[in-house]
Amino acid sequence: MNKKNCIIYFIDFILVVLIIINLVNYINVKPSCKSIIINNQYNDYYLSSNYLEKKVDTVEDYAEVTEDISTEIVDKNYNNQVVTEKKQEVVEKKEIESKNNEKKETIVTDENEEKNNTSNNNYNVIETLIGKISGYGPDCYGCTSNKTSSGRYIGDGQIYYEDKTFGKVRIVSADKKYPYGTIVRIINYYDEEVYAIVLDRGGDIGTNKKFMFDLLFESEKEAIKKGSKSNVKFEILRLGY
């Protein structure tokens, strides 16, 4: 064997060794990826995913693993859907409660208004009069005590009285024919309907006098602006307290 043939045999030997080493490495290295890899030579199945990494030996095992992953994904989606639905239910429940509360408040308000209207409208008219009305203030000429003849203080401009039956009513002056506490309904008084209680007296006030009633205002200036009016209808709803 000459020198040239020895070199060729040596190179062939090195190439064979390298090929064998590469084959061994290829067989022993496990594939790594995010998909399914099938090695036909060894009938091995590998599955790698975001949920698990598991070696399977048969197609049936692979089917079982993929089914587990699908189930887990479905469960997570279902749980998210349930949470979303529950949140929506809570929001809808709060909206319904808010609407119910608004309805209750409206009903209560309507009932209160109805009670007030009923208390004022369900009355027996004792007497009906047509005549003239005037107005006065606590600072009127000759008014020095700042009190009504019944003793109520009006110097602070308070023109209302809280009655147990008729609620908030104006104070009015009348003659002795109508005792203190008498309730008068004043109709067509400048397009108003005024409920008033007799708590004061006046020299020019009464039947066959200049004025039938004298309505209290915050001041004499206000009384002059709107106090006097003719052809007013008066209904006596209660005599005294």
Side-chain angles (χ1 to χ4, degrees), residues 49 51 126 148 173 205 219:
S49 72
Y51 297 94
I126 300 172
T148 65
S173 175
I205 306 300
S219 65

Side-chain angles (χ1 to χ4, degrees), residues 8-22:
I8 293 172
Y9 288 144
F10 179 76
I11 293 172
D12 290 339
F13 175 77
I14 296 298
L15 290 175
V16 170
V17 171
L18 291 175
I19 291 172
I20 293 172
I21 291 173
N22 287 333

Side-chain angles (χ1 to χ4, degrees), residues 7 41 47 61 69 74 92 95 97 101 115 143 147 200 203 205 209 214 230 234 236:
I7 293 172
Q41 183 177 358
L47 176 65
D61 291 338
I69 294 173
V74 171
E92 292 177 354
E95 290 179 353
E97 289 178 353
N101 290 334
K115 286 181 181 179
C143 300
K147 290 184 179 181
D200 207 355
I205 306 300
K209 293 185 179 180
D214 200 6
S230 301
F234 306 95
I236 307 301

Side-chain angles (χ1 to χ4, degrees), residues 73-137:
I73 295 173
V74 171
D75 289 342
K76 286 191 175 183
N77 291 337
Y78 174 75
N79 291 334
N80 291 336
Q81 182 179 358
V82 169
V83 171
T84 303
E85 290 177 354
K86 286 184 178 180
K87 288 182 180 179
Q88 185 65 26
E89 287 178 2
V90 171
V91 172
E92 292 177 354
K93 185 177 180 181
K94 288 183 179 180
E95 290 179 353
I96 292 172
E97 289 178 353
S98 178
K99 290 181 181 180
N100 290 337
N101 290 334
E102 290 178 359
K103 288 181 180 179
K104 288 180 181 179
E105 291 176 358
T106 303
I107 291 172
V108 170
T109 302
D110 293 342
E111 288 178 352
N112 291 335
E113 291 180 355
E114 185 176 352
K115 286 181 181 179
N116 292 333
N117 293 333
T118 302
S119 63
N120 288 338
N121 292 331
N122 291 343
Y123 54 77
N124 293 322
V125 179
I126 300 172
E127 184 181 6
T128 300
L129 306 166
I130 302 293
K132 191 174 182 180
I133 189 173
S134 61
Y136 73 104

Side-chain angles (χ1 to χ4, degrees), residues 2-239:
N2 57 27
K3 186 177 180 179
K4 182 177 180 181
N5 290 334
C6 288
I7 293 172
I8 293 172
Y9 288 144
F10 179 76
I11 293 172
D12 290 339
F13 175 77
I14 296 298
L15 290 175
V16 170
V17 171
L18 291 175
I19 291 172
I20 293 172
I21 291 173
N22 287 333
L23 287 174
V24 171
N25 289 335
Y26 176 79
I27 292 171
N28 292 330
V29 173
K30 178 182 176 180
S32 176
C33 63
K34 294 299 179 179
S35 62
I36 302 165
I37 299 175
I38 301 176
N39 189 329
N40 291 325
Q41 183 177 358
Y42 296 95
N43 198 25
D44 287 337
Y45 296 82
Y46 293 91
L47 176 65
S48 179
S49 72
N50 292 329
Y51 297 94
L52 55 86
E53 185 173 343
K54 180 180 180 181
K55 180 178 178 181
V56 293
D57 297 327
T58 64
V59 175
E60 288 77 9
D61 291 338
Y62 166 72
E64 181 180 353
V65 170
T66 54
E67 182 178 358
D68 292 340
I69 294 173
S70 300
T71 303
E72 185 175 352
I73 295 173
V74 171
D75 289 342
K76 286 191 175 183
N77 291 337
Y78 174 75
N79 291 334
N80 291 336
Q81 182 179 358
V82 169
V83 171
T84 303
E85 290 177 354
K86 286 184 178 180
K87 288 182 180 179
Q88 185 65 26
E89 287 178 2
V90 171
V91 172
E92 292 177 354
K93 185 177 180 181
K94 288 183 179 180
E95 290 179 353
I96 292 172
E97 289 178 353
S98 178
K99 290 181 181 180
N100 290 337
N101 290 334
E102 290 178 359
K103 288 181 180 179
K104 288 180 181 179
E105 291 176 358
T106 303
I107 291 172
V108 170
T109 302
D110 293 342
E111 288 178 352
N112 291 335
E113 291 180 355
E114 185 176 352
K115 286 181 181 179
N116 292 333
N117 293 333
T118 302
S119 63
N120 288 338
N121 292 331
N122 291 343
Y123 54 77
N124 293 322
V125 179
I126 300 172
E127 184 181 6
T128 300
L129 306 166
I130 302 293
K132 191 174 182 180
I133 189 173
S134 61
Y136 73 104
D139 57 341
C140 66
Y141 178 78
C143 300
T144 57
S145 64
N146 288 326
K147 290 184 179 181
T148 65
S149 58
S150 63
R152 183 177 180 83
Y153 181 72
I154 56 174
D156 56 357
Q158 182 56 256
I159 63 174
Y160 290 97
Y161 176 87
E162 193 69 34
D163 186 77
K164 292 181 179 179
T165 303
F166 288 86
K168 195 174 184 179
V169 293
R170 294 282 293 272
I171 297 173
V172 71
S173 175
D175 66 15
K176 294 182 180 180
K177 176 182 177 181
Y178 303 105
Y180 296 134
T182 296
I183 297 295
V184 184
R185 183 187 182 204
I186 306 170
I187 304 173
N188 64 297
Y189 180 65
Y190 296 104
D191 298 325
E192 292 184 50
E193 187 173 283
V194 180
Y195 286 82
I197 185 170
V198 175
L199 293 178
D200 207 355
R201 305 294 183 203
D204 292 332
I205 306 300
T207 306
N208 298 323
K209 293 185 179 180
K210 187 175 181 180
F211 301 102
M212 299 198 71
F213 294 93
D214 200 6
L215 190 63
L216 179 64
F217 284 81
E218 291 88 345
S219 65
E220 186 68 13
K221 183 179 180 180
E222 292 297 322
I224 292 172
K225 286 182 181 179
K226 194 179 177 180
S228 180
K229 192 175 189 303
S230 301
N231 298 320
V232 178
K233 183 178 180 180
F234 306 95
E235 292 180 348
I236 307 301
L237 307 181
R238 185 182 73 193
L239 281 175

